[in-house]
Amino acid sequence: MEIKKVGVLGCGLMGAGIAQTAASAGFETTVREVSEELWQKGFAAIEKSLERFAAKGTITPEQQKQTRDRLFGTTSFDDLADCDIIIEAIIENLGEKQTTYRQLDAICKPETIFASNTSSLSITEMMAATSQKRQQRFIGMHFFNPVPLMKLVEVVRTILTAPDVYEDSVAFGKNLGKVPVRASDKTGFIVNRLLVPYMLDSIRALEEGVGSVVDIDNAMKLGCGYPMGPLTLGDFVGLDTTYYIAEIMFNEFREKRFAPPPLLKRMVMAGLYGRKSGRGFYDYTKDPKNPTPMNLV
Ligand code: 3HC
């Protein structure tokens, strides 16, 4: 089946990035949010990103306009009924996701592929909320922040995903301009399986006094050529999100490397969520950013 019409559920950071990517790649894209205000907010973020690409000459003004014209915002599930694929990027709450999928299953055409952008919840558990026929058409499509820039998409299959649906989804990932990697539905897939223990270890290193915030970040940035140090990356992803993912992974595997360190928990309890709240390992309310003063002993 050729995927032509794309639906996106949720227009937050990830949903907006996915919608932008799909529309830029030439797909008619309908984005559903709970209120018009929310999809308008997401579309404003898309516009800002397109402006950055246009200013650099990565896209022409014509491409910018075409991308805009391919995007439709809605608050109604019914507008997604004839989509070939629906990519869900709503809140990371299994119950909410299951309720949404159940509703969509009843109104979408039988061919529609359901895809979740979850980073750590089980695709199988979401899939189980849909009818037996749909279960074969259920996959994970895990994108990376910032979606318009990051080249990877993890395409995840469950034990029930039909082979042709999986191949169509991998091909769709390529048509989005991404590099798809194949993964099975094991918590964290490939990237978070490897990335989360590394990020948690960097916090443990800070707790143990191995190095300062800046030195730990510089060590990995300059010593390994990573675009960001692990603590900056934690602030970028969101420390609340990192904590949440670590908890899920620890519950699944019961291995210490996935256990959120006490410092991470305390920073989340104190409201230090990273960039989104203004402070995390660094204080973003000041320019240039400096490490947030914290009593570590
Ligand atoms: N849209 C368009 N352009 C953007 C953009 C956006 N959303 N965000 C950044 N850019 C552009 C900037 O304009 C800039 O352009 P220029 O080079 O022409 O000036 C360029 O990208 C670089 O941006 P910055 O100068 O602001 O900063 P960096 O050079 O540090 O690049 C970055 C930013 C691309 C985010 C880079 O730091 C990076 O790759 N960081 C790692 C990100 C990462 O690891 N993401 C994965 C997180 S894990 C995840 O998402 C999974 C989840 O499950 C947890």
Side-chain angles (χ1 to χ4, degrees):
M1 184 185 91
E2 201 194 336
I3 294 171
K4 288 190 186 134
K5 193 164 180 220
V6 176
V8 178
L9 281 171
C11 202
L13 185 67
M14 296 304 284
I18 295 166
Q20 178 183 337
T21 300
S24 300
F27 295 96
E28 221 182 281
T29 306
T30 303
V31 188
R32 191 263 171 187
E33 253 297 358
V34 289
S35 70
E36 182 170 342
E37 191 192 344
L38 280 179
W39 68 253
Q40 293 277 16
K41 196 173 160 206
F43 278 27
I46 293 175
E47 191 55 40
K48 229 168 128 185
S49 173
L50 291 174
E51 287 294 340
R52 283 167 92 167
F53 285 127
K56 278 194 280 197
T58 314
I59 57 169
T60 62
E62 182 60 16
Q63 285 170 319
Q64 189 177 354
K65 183 184 174 305
Q66 284 168 346
T67 300
R68 251 187 240 130
D69 292 347
R70 290 187 202 108
L71 283 164
F72 306 93
T74 182
T75 55
S76 162
F77 281 134
D78 291 338
D79 290 332
L80 300 175
D82 65 339
C83 287
D84 299 313
I85 190 166
I86 296 176
I87 307 169
E88 166 272 316
I90 66 168
I91 184 171
E92 285 283 79
N93 176 302
L94 184 65
E96 291 261 352
K97 289 186 196 269
Q98 286 177 325
T99 307
T100 305
Y101 284 127
R102 211 171 282 125
Q103 272 176 276
L104 280 172
D105 192 20
I107 58 170
C108 287
K109 62 180 182 179
E111 298 81 26
T112 306
I113 297 172
F114 284 11
S116 176
N117 176 57
T118 187
S119 58
S120 47
L121 295 172
S122 163
I123 305 292
T124 310
E125 221 169 343
M126 291 174 213
M127 172 207 84
T130 61
S131 58
Q132 216 169 324
K133 279 226 158 119
R134 186 80 62 190
Q135 293 184 0
Q136 300 170 8
R137 311 189 71 76
F138 211 114
I139 56 156
M141 281 200 103
H142 184 216
F143 293 85
F144 296 84
N145 181 27
V147 181
L149 293 183
M150 302 302 280
K151 283 303 216 185
L152 185 72
V153 59
E154 291 180 306
V155 186
V156 182
R157 68 175 152 197
T158 74
I159 52 171
L160 295 182
T161 307
D164 61 321
V165 170
Y166 194 55
E167 292 313 317
D168 289 347
S169 305
V170 170
F172 170 64
K174 277 189 200 149
N175 291 338
L176 285 177
K178 302 295 182 200
V179 175
V181 291
R182 295 158 190 262
S184 55
D185 183 28
K186 309 263 167 58
T187 306
F189 317 131
I190 299 173
V191 170
N192 280 337
R193 173 84 162 240
L194 302 176
L195 179 68
V196 171
Y198 157 67
M199 289 169 72
L200 299 178
D201 265 344
S202 72
I203 302 171
R204 285 189 257 274
L206 179 68
E207 278 178 327
E208 289 167 23
V210 177
S212 68
V213 167
V214 171
D215 285 345
I216 289 172
D217 270 349
N218 277 341
M220 295 313 290
K221 202 173 149 180
L222 307 176
C224 296
Y226 291 176
M228 286 176 168
L231 302 170
T232 301
L233 183 59
D235 281 353
F236 181 70
V237 169
L239 298 180
D240 53 339
T241 306
T242 305
Y243 179 72
Y244 180 77
I245 296 173
E247 283 270 80
I248 292 176
M249 295 189 79
F250 182 68
N251 283 336
E252 173 81 10
F253 298 114
R254 307 283 165 159
E255 288 176 33
K256 193 172 173 246
R257 64 201 177 106
F258 297 110
L263 174 61
L264 175 60
K265 184 172 182 182
R266 271 145 194 80
M267 290 181 73
V268 173
M269 287 193 295
L272 303 178
Y273 298 153
R275 275 198 203 184
K276 65 171 105 165
S277 70
R279 283 190 311 164
F281 290 104
Y282 296 89
D283 184 345
Y284 298 90
T285 61
K286 306 207 169 74
D287 192 19
K289 69 178 166 80
N290 274 312
T292 303
M294 288 192 283
N295 303 313
L296 294 177
V297 282

